Amino acid sequence: MNDTSLLDCQPQKGSEQASQHKLEGVLFHRTIRSIYAVLLLAVGDSAKAVVRIQIQDGSLATELRSWCRRNCKIGDLLILEGNWAPVYETLENPTEWKEERFLVDIRTEFDAEKKIILKEAKHWDMVKCQSWQDTFLASKNNQVKRVRRREGGETKKSKADKHGGGIGKLKQSEHVANFLLHMMMHKLGAQDLPETCNWGTEKPDQLNSFFF
């Protein structure tokens, strides 16, 4: 047998056959949610298969999630029984995986034991599993990081705009100073001062001659 096992049947586009198929591969990544789990299997030398394990009985979700954690470990060689299902692009909220999935429905632990079989534990070491994760997950993770960095930069820029940068504060100080000068000269009887509405924006023309 090669390092990775082969599919006994290939997925057929748009096919929803009732007969059960078998899929054999090495588990290199898994995500376990409330009522389902997503497994990524290495099949052959470079192919990836996406497996969705669907928990059919919500009352047994806790037990079946624990079963999946115990029996579906990274690096294990697994044989699964289920059906291929296409991803429909016309859905309002299409899934993030633009490829067919191998669906495995489980109702009880006994049902899970029949459909998810451990063929060899630790078939791969963590170094090889990590290399497959880097190949199939790195681009997605990097994209998320880039989005977060961009959002962080926009947030900082927004805060700077709201509080005013160094130039804005300098301009505000200049307006206050001009306003105070106009007030002083007005009380001292200076002539030809600008309108009061412009006191913060125009420097008095008579400033030098008045004080010097």
Side-chain angles (χ1 to χ4, degrees):
M1 180 183 296
N2 297 331
D3 286 342
T4 54
S5 302
L6 298 176
L7 286 169
D8 71 337
C9 62
Q10 296 296 329
Q12 299 178 4
K13 298 291 183 181
S15 170
E16 295 184 9
Q17 300 177 359
S19 61
Q20 297 284 293
H21 299 295
K22 290 186 183 295
L23 173 65
E24 185 173 333
V26 181
L27 176 62
F28 68 89
H29 181 75
R30 74 177 188 186
T31 302
I32 299 176
R33 301 300 186 193
S34 57
I35 58 172
Y36 72 91
V38 176
L39 312 181
L40 299 186
L41 268 59
V43 181
D45 295 328
S46 59
K48 175 196 69 176
V50 181
V51 178
R52 182 183 175 102
I53 300 174
Q54 188 70 44
I55 299 173
Q56 296 297 317
D57 189 346
S59 64
L60 299 176
T62 301
E63 292 82 354
L64 291 174
R65 285 198 304 270
S66 298
W67 188 94
C68 288
R69 292 189 181 97
R70 293 194 309 270
N71 295 276
C72 301
K73 295 182 178 179
I74 304 298
D76 289 352
L77 177 61
L78 304 175
I79 301 177
L80 302 100
E81 184 177 306
N83 287 303
W84 288 100
V87 173
Y88 296 100
E89 300 294 342
T90 55
L91 291 177
E92 268 187 42
N93 297 312
T95 61
E96 62 185 62
W97 301 102
K98 306 301 183 184
E99 57 193 297
E100 291 186 320
R101 295 183 177 191
F102 193 78
L103 301 183
V104 180
D105 294 330
I106 56 175
R107 292 172 174 78
T108 63
E109 288 192 13
F110 178 73
D111 189 32
E113 290 171 356
K114 290 194 305 179
K115 296 179 178 178
I116 305 171
I117 300 171
L118 174 63
K119 186 171 183 178
E120 183 182 350
K122 298 181 180 179
H123 185 72
W124 278 2
D125 59 23
M126 292 308 297
V127 174
K128 189 159 188 178
C129 293
Q130 183 64 51
S131 68
W132 275 66
Q133 291 178 9
D134 292 342
T135 300
F136 291 101
L137 300 176
S139 59
K140 178 183 174 184
N141 291 338
N142 289 339
Q143 183 179 6
V144 172
K145 290 178 182 178
R146 285 196 299 271
V147 170
R148 288 177 179 173
R149 283 198 297 268
R150 184 170 65 251
E151 290 177 348
E154 291 175 353
T155 301
K156 291 180 181 179
K157 183 179 178 182
S158 177
K159 289 182 178 179
D161 291 341
K162 290 180 180 178
H163 295 288
I167 296 177
K169 291 180 179 179
L170 182 61
K171 196 69 176 177
Q172 291 175 1
S173 300
E174 184 180 346
H175 290 338
V176 173
N178 287 342
F179 178 78
L180 293 175
L181 287 172
H182 280 90
M183 289 287 293
M184 292 172 56
M185 295 181 68
H186 179 70
K187 288 186 176 295
L188 293 172
Q191 302 297 322
D192 300 327
L193 290 176
E195 296 293 333
T196 54
C197 61
N198 297 324
W199 279 15
T201 59
E202 295 184 8
K203 191 173 182 180
D205 295 332
Q206 300 179 355
L207 180 62
N208 292 334
S209 60
F210 192 85
F211 286 103
F212 301 100

